[in-house]
Amino acid sequence: MTVHLLKLCVGIDSVEHLIEVRKGREQTLPDGRPYNYHITRFAPKRAEEVLDGGALYWVIKGFILVRQPIIGFEEVKTDNGTKCKIILDTGLVRTESQPRRPHQGWRYLEPADAPRDLPEGQRADDLPKALRRDLQELGLI
């Protein structure tokens, strides 16, 4: 059974900003596929479930707006001990906007609780900013 991960995207202002930051960070797997990665403190105990079609859902400015499919996990040594490298597909999939409160680290996200993907080319932030903010405060988007 698939499960996803949920992570705050600290220091990122928008999906476009995330795309810009990710440029130039691509690496290549042994099979030639490009990937991005994110280093986190702990590896998920439910890694097999995450690798069964799971994705990393990014919370940007208090809202889930995008996800990246997870390809794998790798243990990495750092100056601060052993960490977990989350290996991510380079493609970003925009999702419906879903409010989330801040948390530390990552959290599991059950598929039933995950926002739906948006149709290609559609953005969750297509509304005027003031209207969008008002609707978000009311919990309507």
Side-chain angles (χ1 to χ4, degrees):
M1 184 172 160
T2 301
V3 68
H4 306 291
L5 298 181
L6 180 66
K7 180 98 175 86
L8 299 182
C9 204
V10 178
I12 300 297
D13 297 321
S14 65
V15 175
E16 289 72 24
H17 187 201
L18 178 61
I19 292 168
E20 189 63 34
V21 168
R22 290 280 179 195
K23 282 183 185 173
R25 286 192 186 178
E26 288 183 9
Q27 299 199 2
T28 306
L29 293 169
D31 65 5
R33 285 186 300 161
Y35 75 93
N36 288 134
Y37 67 91
H38 181 76
I39 303 290
T40 189
R41 190 170 175 192
F42 297 109
K45 292 184 181 355
R46 298 170 66 183
E48 284 186 31
E49 293 174 81
V50 174
L51 294 175
D52 185 26
L56 181 62
Y57 282 76
W58 290 110
V59 178
I60 300 172
K61 296 289 187 187
F63 294 88
I64 299 174
L65 295 175
V66 67
R67 68 178 180 86
Q68 276 185 278
I70 296 174
I71 298 171
F73 299 100
E74 187 177 294
E75 190 175 277
V76 293
K77 304 282 185 201
T78 70
D79 294 341
N80 297 319
T82 302
K83 307 284 183 183
C84 176
K85 178 192 247 185
I86 303 173
I87 302 170
L88 302 164
D89 187 285
T90 57
L92 295 171
V93 180
R94 291 178 188 266
T95 66
E96 291 180 336
S97 177
Q98 187 181 87
R100 286 293 167 151
R101 293 197 172 170
H103 62 269
Q104 290 186 341
W106 51 262
R107 299 286 185 265
Y108 290 111
L109 180 64
E110 297 298 329
D113 299 326
R116 293 181 299 206
D117 292 349
L118 289 176
E120 186 69 32
Q122 188 176 347
R123 296 170 34 158
D125 56 356
D126 284 342
L127 298 172
K129 287 184 180 185
L131 175 59
R132 183 172 193 7
R133 185 184 61 246
D134 291 344
L135 291 173
Q136 287 172 339
E137 287 175 4
L138 294 170
L140 298 174
I141 61 169

